[in-house]
Structure formats: structure tokens, C-alpha cells
Amino acid sequence: NGLSTPTAFDSNGDGKIDYVYAGDLKGNVWKFDLSGASDTAWAIANSGSAMFVAKDSGGLTQTITAPMSVVINTVAGDPNKDKPFVFFGTGSYFRTGDPADAQVNTWYALIDEGSTISGRSVLKQRTVSTTTTFDGKPVRSFSSATAGDMTGKKGWYVDFSTSTYERIVTKS
């Protein structure tokens, strides 16, 4: 197993790193808590358990090789306002068999509320709603959010097509 490039996050704006997020080749999303005053207080968050395990709809784990992005939701009136969202995608492109790997890969946005997320059943599924061309290049749009569709959800996900062997191997 191996860890993807870690992403540091300053949750309170004091210029000090509070949390670090990283995925691994077994689909685990790890959150490291560095908010303690001394390094002896630092630990893997969630009592040492992964924050989330990325799995496709068939239950197969999804490799995470790219760094994650973390942003605070600032949308007024949103049920998840002021909560951190952790964005990442699955897939790899460094092993011999990767170019022919047709496993479904996924783009995720997890809401970090300080606890583990049990699986994709607690996430809102988003879809690719339109595929067309613009300026001679293929483009797609995603399904639109509707008011309240994220209430009680722990994030969202979009599954990619297996016909084009899509994967995310760069930072979201």
C-alpha cells in the first residue's frame, strides 16, 4: 500500500496546519489531526480509522493516487454551510495494467464533520447529465443540485464511464 500526496489544511486560519488528508492504494481516506499544541498530541483522526473507504457500486475498493482538495462551504442558506468538503477522485495510471483497467472510478466530495463516513449509501449520487461538443471538443455537465438535496448527506459522488477508462490522477 502507499499514501497519495498529503494535503494540508488550516481549519481556523491561524497559519498553522490543523489537519492533513491523504488517500491510499486501498481506497482509504486518512485524516491526520495535527491541531494539538505538541507533536505528542498528534494522531490519526477517527480513533485511528480511515475517514472513508472509496468503493464502487459493486463493493470493490478504488485506488486513490492524487492529492485531495479541502474547501469550506460558504454558500449562505446551505445546510452544510461552514463545513469542510474534501474533494478527490479515484484511479491510478502508474502500474503496468492501469491503461487497460476498466474499473469504475469516481469523483467524491466528502463533508468532514469529524467522524467516519460509512460508505456511498450516505452520499448523494450526482450524474453526468449532458454530453456534447464545444469548439470541437467533447464537454459534459453534471446533474444540477436542488434545494435541500444534501440535507442529511455526508457528501456526493459521480461515477465515471468505463468505456473511456476514466480516472482522476491529479488534484481535484
Side-chain angles (χ1 to χ4, degrees):
N1 197 12
L3 214 55
S4 65
T5 302
T7 298
F9 180 61
D10 175 6
S11 66
N12 57 11
D14 67 357
K16 297 177 184 174
I17 302 305
D18 298 301
Y19 302 101
V20 172
Y21 298 86
D24 68 25
L25 298 177
K26 295 182 179 182
N28 297 302
V29 175
W30 297 100
K31 177 182 176 184
F32 302 93
D33 184 350
L34 309 182
S35 62
S38 101
D39 61 0
T40 59
W42 299 352
I44 298 172
N46 303 309
S47 301
S49 297
M51 178 180 160
F52 178 75
V53 180
K55 294 182 180 181
D56 65 19
S57 62
L60 297 173
T61 56
Q62 298 172 300
T63 300
I64 303 168
T65 58
M68 300 178 176
S69 294
V70 184
V71 298
I72 299 293
N73 179 357
T74 59
V75 177
D78 188 275
N80 296 301
K81 184 179 184 307
D82 298 324
K83 294 179 183 177
F85 276 64
V86 180
F87 294 91
F88 68 97
T90 65
S92 64
Y93 205 71
F94 70 92
R95 298 176 288 200
T96 305
D98 284 345
D101 184 356
Q103 180 182 4
V104 171
N105 284 296
T106 305
W107 185 28
Y108 289 96
L110 305 177
I111 303 168
D112 184 0
E113 297 180 295
S115 60
T116 59
I117 297 172
S118 61
R120 53 183 6 204
S121 64
V122 296
L123 306 177
K124 172 72 177 163
Q125 183 177 14
R126 303 278 187 216
T127 59
V128 175
S129 62
T130 306
T131 303
T132 188
T133 58
F134 177 77
D135 196 26
K137 296 176 180 71
V139 295
R140 296 179 290 183
S141 63
F142 298 104
S143 55
S144 297
T146 57
D149 72 350
M150 288 290 293
T151 301
K153 296 294 182 181
K154 303 294 183 186
W156 54 258
Y157 69 94
V158 175
D159 285 331
F160 291 124
S161 168
T162 59
S163 64
T164 55
Y165 303 99
E166 292 181 291
R167 64 201 81 219
I168 295 180
V169 294
T170 59
K171 189 172 185 175
S172 284

